[in-house]
């Protein structure tokens, strides 16, 4: 049995309260591949305490707060799924050894801009300045050179068809290497599309997080698929599109729309999503946007009732009185999120009906000058 079957790139509070939590619970039942080796790819020295706390055998805490099925949830869970932590570039050779010899699954959740190409991607020597796809290409090349056992790659970035998008980026970068390596990437690596959904509102120090009860990891099925663990919140589906469009174009679009309103209110005292839900004007505007523009787009695809039900669930999640889901956090990478969530929705909706009119979303998508976020 591999001592490091799961390698995770990223130390975010989301991963701590989602994938890492799922594996921890599954380990208690004997239903996980094994523990996780966590890699901090940024090399940020300020996160040294987080890395140490993540790997503490005593575990770290995740607080689950909210309402589930009408019942109040306020629990604390100890997460003990992390085997060891590493930081790049200091531990690059150790990480290369694990990926070359032990890893069965690679998981990632990098920043929203994590897939963006960087100038350092043009070389074949490892550099801390590389994009995540370039770093992954370099590590996979080490595995290829050591014998090239098959491997599964499961990105959790909120990008449609994220596994295939990452695959194409890696294949593009792999042109710097041998044709044999490029062939191996296409035949021996299983690139898995998935979608994650859980609001993780705030970090705990030095490690841990506060999260809502709702959680989903939808994974698109394909031959040879291997799950890192069995868990009630993991759903294997034949096609991710239905799950993906609901999450991206209702929940995430709603977050971005609320942040856009908040950015326009330069003196607003509001800090959290729930603050905007407590404001009758903000709430009415969001509900109207969902009803007139968002649900209309889903209706054009024959999915009106499905969208209405998910909107109701989303509004309940936004109202969660226990979560300090900071607007300033959502506002990070706002322009990129607007393109993905709002412009992406407009393009998707109009594939079914090019004549759809969605004035508020059109205005938001066309905005070129973004306001500066408030201080948290």
């Amino acid at each position: 049995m591999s001592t490091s079957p799961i390698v995770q790139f990223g130390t975010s509070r989301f991963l701590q309260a989602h994938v890492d939590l799922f594996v921890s619970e599954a380990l208690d039942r004997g239903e996980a591949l094994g523990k996780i080796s966590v890699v901090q790819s940024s090399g940020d020295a300020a996160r040294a305490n987080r890395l140490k706390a993540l790997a503490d055998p005593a575990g770290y805490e995740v607080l689950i707060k909210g309402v589930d099925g009408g019942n109040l949830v306020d629990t604390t869970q100890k997460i003990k799924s992390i085997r060891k932590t590493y930081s790049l570039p200091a531990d690059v050779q150790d990480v290369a050894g694990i990926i070359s010899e032990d890893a069965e699954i690679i998981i990632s959740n990098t920043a929203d801009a994590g897939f963006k190409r960087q100038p350092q991607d043009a070389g074949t020597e490892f550099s801390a300045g590389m994009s995540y796809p370039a770093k992954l290409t370099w590590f996979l090349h080490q595995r290829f050179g050591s014998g090239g056992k098959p491997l599964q790659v499961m990105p959790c970035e909120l990008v449609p068809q994220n596994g295939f998008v990452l695959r194409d980026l890696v294949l593009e970068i792999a042109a710097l290497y041998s044709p044999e390596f490029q062939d191996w990437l296409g035949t021996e690596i299983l690139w898995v599309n998935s979608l994650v959904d859980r609001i993780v509102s705030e970090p705990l120090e030095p490690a841990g997080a506060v999260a809502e009860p709702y959680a989903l990891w939808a994974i698109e099925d394909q031959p040879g698929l291997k799950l890192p663990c069995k868990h009630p919140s993991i759903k294997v589906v034949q096609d991710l599109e239905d799950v993906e469009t609901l999450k991206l174009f209702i929940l995430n679009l709603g977050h971005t729309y609320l942040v856009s309103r908040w950015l326009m209110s330069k003196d607003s005292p509001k800090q959290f999503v729930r603050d905007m839900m407590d404001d009758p004007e903000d709430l009415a505007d969001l509900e109207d946007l969902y009803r007139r523009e968002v649900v209309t787009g889903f209706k054009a695809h024959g999915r009106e009732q499905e969208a209405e039900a998910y909107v109701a669930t989303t509004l309940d999640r936004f109202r969660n009185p226990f979560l300090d889901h900071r607007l300033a956090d959502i506002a990070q990478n706002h322009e990129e999120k607007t393109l993905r969530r709002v412009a992406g929705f407009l393009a998707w909706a109009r594939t079914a009906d090019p004549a759809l009119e969605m004035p508020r979303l059109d205005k938001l998508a066309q905005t070129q000058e973004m306001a500066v976020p408030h201080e948290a």
Side-chain angles (χ1 to χ4, degrees):
M1 179 179 177
S2 170
T3 58
S4 299
I6 306 170
V7 175
Q8 172 183 301
F9 283 88
T11 65
S12 68
R13 65 178 185 253
F14 175 81
L15 287 172
Q16 294 175 44
H18 196 266
V19 175
D20 300 344
L21 182 149
F22 295 171
V23 172
S24 182
E25 291 180 335
L27 282 168
D28 292 339
R29 303 188 299 268
E31 294 181 336
L33 288 179
K35 288 197 171 185
I36 302 168
S37 295
V38 171
V39 182
Q40 178 192 298
S41 59
S42 69
D44 185 354
R47 297 182 182 178
N49 288 338
R50 179 189 298 179
L51 291 177
K52 182 178 178 180
L54 287 174
D56 188 333
Y60 63 86
E61 292 185 345
V62 170
L63 311 183
I64 308 297
K65 293 177 174 285
V67 178
D68 186 13
N71 298 314
L72 183 67
V73 177
D74 189 354
T75 62
T76 300
Q77 295 180 247
K78 276 283 189 179
I79 312 305
K80 300 180 180 181
S81 56
I82 309 304
R83 173 185 170 271
K84 196 170 181 179
T85 57
Y86 302 87
S87 181
L88 299 178
D91 299 321
V92 64
Q93 293 304 324
D94 289 336
V95 175
I98 292 170
I99 291 177
S100 295
E101 299 168 12
D102 287 344
E104 299 176 39
I105 295 176
I106 293 178
I107 292 168
S108 67
N109 186 248
T110 58
D112 282 274
F115 280 7
K116 279 188 174 180
R117 294 292 300 270
Q118 300 296 327
Q120 293 88 341
D121 294 358
T124 58
E125 295 295 323
F126 184 86
S127 168
M130 286 175 162
S131 67
Y132 170 63
K135 290 172 182 170
L136 179 61
T137 305
W138 189 89
F139 283 117
L140 292 177
H141 189 255
Q142 308 311 300
R143 186 178 180 99
F144 170 74
S146 68
K149 294 182 292 183
L151 182 71
Q152 181 170 297
V153 176
M154 302 180 69
C156 295
E157 287 81 359
L158 189 61
V159 175
Q161 299 280 287
N162 51 14
F164 294 164
V165 169
L166 182 57
R167 175 199 62 193
D168 292 346
L169 289 169
V170 167
L171 286 172
E172 182 181 342
I173 295 165
L176 297 168
Y177 300 84
S178 68
E180 293 78 12
F181 175 53
Q182 297 173 56
D183 292 342
W184 180 81
L185 288 170
T187 59
E188 299 302 316
I189 304 298
L190 193 68
W191 304 90
V192 179
N193 297 318
S194 72
L195 179 140
V196 294
D197 189 0
R198 175 171 242 172
I199 296 173
V200 183
S201 63
E202 59 181 307
L204 301 178
E205 295 299 337
V210 181
E212 66 174 338
Y214 181 94
L216 173 67
W217 190 4
I219 300 171
E220 193 169 76
D221 198 12
Q222 59 175 295
L225 177 70
K226 179 187 296 185
L227 297 179
C229 66
K230 292 183 179 179
H231 194 276
S233 295
I234 295 178
K235 309 294 184 185
V236 178
V237 299
Q238 293 303 309
D239 188 343
L240 272 178
E241 183 180 6
D242 287 353
V243 180
E244 199 167 57
T245 49
L246 288 172
K247 163 77 161 50
L248 188 62
F249 297 148
I250 294 180
L251 185 137
N252 296 120
L253 180 149
H255 276 153
T256 293
Y257 184 74
L258 288 174
V259 162
S260 296
R261 284 181 61 90
W262 177 70
L263 291 170
M264 297 296 180
S265 303
K266 297 183 179 180
D267 297 322
S268 173
K270 299 166 187 170
Q271 296 186 59
F272 309 118
V273 171
R274 56 179 164 80
D275 292 337
M276 299 196 75
M277 293 297 93
D278 290 339
D279 184 313
E281 185 176 339
D282 287 333
L283 175 59
D285 184 59
L286 179 64
E287 289 177 328
D288 188 66
L289 177 86
Y290 276 147
R291 182 175 60 254
R292 291 177 182 268
E293 301 188 27
V294 176
V295 172
T296 299
F298 278 87
K299 181 179 180 181
H301 283 270
R303 299 174 58 192
E304 180 179 14
Q305 292 184 344
E306 182 184 8
E308 288 176 340
Y310 193 81
V311 164
T313 298
T314 296
L315 290 171
D316 283 344
R317 294 170 68 187
F318 285 179
R319 292 187 184 101
N320 188 332
F322 301 100
L323 293 191
D324 291 342
H325 198 182
R326 294 184 180 276
L327 295 161
D329 289 346
I330 302 170
Q332 294 178 19
N333 302 306
H334 181 59
E335 183 172 3
E336 184 170 343
K337 289 176 180 176
T338 300
L339 290 172
R340 188 187 309 159
R341 300 170 178 185
V342 178
F345 170 72
L346 293 168
W348 174 78
R350 286 168 176 156
T351 60
D353 183 356
L356 284 176
E357 294 188 8
M358 293 175 274
R360 282 169 290 186
L361 293 178
D362 274 320
K363 182 179 180 180
L364 177 56
Q366 293 165 5
T367 299
Q368 297 298 315
E369 295 182 5
M370 300 295 176
V372 177
H374 301 283
E375 292 294 327

